Amino acid sequence: MYLETQRLILRKFEETDAERLFLLDSDPEVMKYIGVPPLSDITESENVIKMIQQQYLDNGVGRLAVIEKESGLLIGWSGLKLITQEINGYNNIYDLGYRFIPEYWGKGYALESAKASLDFGFHHLKAETIYAHA
């Protein structure tokens, strides 16, 4: 999985992404409405990356690291995730999600990455429906 937009690269997570992912997931403002506390140790980010990498293997899809082309930095994540447990009577659904480091909020990156992810889901994965929730 590799997606590219005008300003972004969406690619599979790598072990070397742990530091930037920790910067994201340890921020209380980012995690405010997620339902889980901010991460407190970088090993938690390393474990998150391993979990996402396993989803690539098990499901053929998973959240992708979002790299800003201009800076070359990981600025967040975006993409589809296969949800296998039942939600509102549905299971085995694709869920669209994203999360960004606050300094990159308000720049249209969420919409840009979401559009690329939806295009991938509908055209490559042949999904009939893709869900998202807040």
Side-chain angles (χ1 to χ4, degrees):
M1 285 176 294
Y2 179 92
L3 308 175
E4 193 167 338
T5 69
Q6 182 180 354
R7 301 179 296 164
L8 304 172
I9 293 170
L10 286 75
R11 60 149 172 82
K12 289 182 177 180
F13 271 97
E14 303 167 354
E15 287 79 11
T16 56
D17 294 327
E19 186 176 316
R20 294 289 292 178
L21 184 61
F22 181 70
L23 179 65
L24 172 70
D25 288 342
S26 64
D27 188 310
E29 277 303 300
V30 172
M31 303 303 282
K32 188 182 218 176
Y33 302 107
I34 304 297
V36 296
L39 301 187
S40 59
D41 188 272
I42 195 165
T43 58
E44 294 171 293
S45 295
E46 293 166 352
N47 290 334
V48 167
I49 290 171
K50 288 176 187 171
M51 178 193 67
I52 294 170
Q53 289 173 329
Q54 190 61 49
Q55 290 173 355
Y56 300 149
L57 297 173
D58 294 343
N59 306 321
V61 69
R63 306 294 196 206
L64 299 172
V66 177
I67 310 301
E68 182 187 49
K69 286 181 179 179
E70 184 178 330
S71 67
L73 293 173
L74 184 148
I75 63 170
W77 58 256
S78 185
L80 304 176
K81 174 181 175 179
L82 183 66
I83 308 265
T84 56
Q85 74 267 18
E86 185 176 320
I87 298 176
N88 296 328
Y90 299 95
N91 59 5
N92 294 321
I93 62 169
Y94 290 111
D95 173 71
L96 172 66
Y98 53 79
R99 192 179 302 164
F100 289 91
I101 295 170
E103 69 186 85
Y104 298 95
W105 292 358
K107 298 177 187 255
Y109 290 144
L111 178 60
E112 188 173 330
S113 65
K115 283 182 177 180
S117 297
L118 289 171
D119 184 61
F120 174 79
F122 288 125
H123 295 104
H124 180 77
L125 298 175
K126 305 296 184 202
E128 291 183 23
T129 305
I130 296 174
Y131 295 86
H133 64 277

